[in-house]
Amino acid sequence: MSPQPKKGNCAPGWSDVVKPGGPRTDTCYPGRNAKPTYYPGGRECADGYFRSAGWCLPGEKKTVTATAGSVQKANPLDRCPAGYFTLTANGNMCTSLAANPPTIRLKGDAACGEGEIDDWGLYCISNYGNLTRKDAAKGFPDYNAIYQTSYTTTGKQQRPRQEALPEGLEYTPAYFVIFGRVDRDGAPIPGGSVSGSATASSSDHGAAGQAPASTVDCSAAGASQAGASAGARLGGLMGGRSGKASRAGAALGGALGGVAQREVQPAGCP
């Protein structure tokens, strides 16, 4: 409980001011409800302690653990895939609080395999049939966590490398391949449609989303259009703020088109 040197910030319940309204200092002082704490450096917290804001506090943090596990990023500024978000205690990790999170892995240089969906050009997603729209749309906490914790992992506070899709910050390219052009509450998103994947979801789960029969495009061209649309969005992100789709995004579009046709085939198609 003794005052401790500040390590970029103070532990929860501790403050870098001696008295209210006073100047900030380089020392952290315990507040009225402060708990004993220590700074672990690069080590894990000792048994009986959990990490919070970079410090170790007594007790165990009560959280839901992803059954598919966490994945370390290739770059701490990378956005996480659908259903996952950046761990605030470790900006290098993607984790999930979903009851049934999809399985994810780093994509690497090779294309995603059969039954996998490419997300951001960085991850391959599989086993997403029980993922809900609300669990998939975790872009806000992901984006915010990267911005807030980037200093500890990169040496300066930076924004994520992949920002927002036209449909909103909370979504990823794979979200629309799985669920179609619907928001996290199932309402159609105006401004066009993605043929070849579900355009409206009658269920909260990705694999069950279906489009009305009158609007279904079962052709290979429909699936290709779906992939091209998703690839164009990703291409714009990879091309920078100008929004110009890169060749990588266009190539990814074809792959996503094939996945859309295999994995999210609407009702009424052979």
Side-chain angles (χ1 to χ4, degrees):
M1 296 294 291
S2 301
Q4 302 189 47
K6 185 168 64 175
K7 303 294 184 180
N9 60 283
C10 294
W14 294 62
S15 174
D16 57 0
V17 297
V18 179
K19 59 182 180 180
R24 295 188 178 278
T25 69
D26 293 328
T27 303
C28 296
Y29 300 91
R32 178 174 299 178
N33 298 318
K35 295 182 178 181
T37 186
Y38 72 93
Y39 191 77
R43 301 183 303 274
E44 294 295 325
C45 293
D47 291 343
Y49 286 76
F50 70 93
R51 188 184 297 269
S52 180
W55 296 78
C56 293
L57 298 173
E60 294 185 6
K61 197 169 186 178
K62 305 296 184 183
T63 59
V64 177
T65 302
T67 57
S70 299
V71 171
Q72 185 166 346
K73 303 179 185 180
N75 186 302
L77 298 181
D78 286 341
R79 289 280 301 275
C80 290
Y84 286 75
F85 59 92
T86 299
L87 196 62
T88 54
N90 184 350
N92 287 302
M93 301 295 294
C94 291
T95 192
S96 177
L97 298 182
N100 296 287
T103 301
I104 62 172
R105 65 177 180 85
L106 292 179
K107 176 185 175 184
D109 296 330
C112 293
E114 184 76 19
E116 294 184 320
I117 292 179
D118 186 310
D119 210 359
W120 297 121
L122 302 172
Y123 311 94
C124 294
I125 302 177
S126 59
N127 302 321
Y128 50 82
N130 291 317
L131 181 66
T132 67
R133 292 188 301 268
K134 291 185 178 180
D135 282 335
K138 293 296 184 183
F140 279 124
D142 183 36
Y143 186 96
N144 290 337
I146 293 172
Y147 183 73
Q148 292 172 14
T149 64
S150 62
Y151 183 84
T152 61
T153 54
T154 67
K156 57 183 177 179
Q157 198 169 38
Q158 301 181 69
R159 296 184 183 276
R161 297 202 307 173
Q162 295 83 11
E163 297 191 3
L165 297 179
E167 294 85 357
L169 182 62
E170 61 265 52
Y171 304 111
T172 75
Y175 174 96
F176 294 102
V177 177
I178 298 171
F179 298 99
R181 286 190 63 85
V182 293
D183 63 22
R184 64 192 305 270
D185 296 314
I189 296 177
S193 64
V194 178
S195 301
S197 63
T199 56
S201 181
S202 59
S203 166
D204 194 37
H205 297 287
Q210 303 293 347
S214 61
T215 64
V216 171
D217 182 353
C218 299
S219 66
S224 178
Q225 181 181 349
S229 177
R233 287 195 297 271
L234 179 57
L237 292 172
M238 295 174 69
R241 294 183 181 274
S242 64
K244 294 181 179 179
S246 67
R247 291 185 179 180
L252 178 61
L256 287 177
V259 171
Q261 188 178 36
R262 290 194 306 269
E263 299 298 333
V264 202
Q265 189 74 10
C269 293

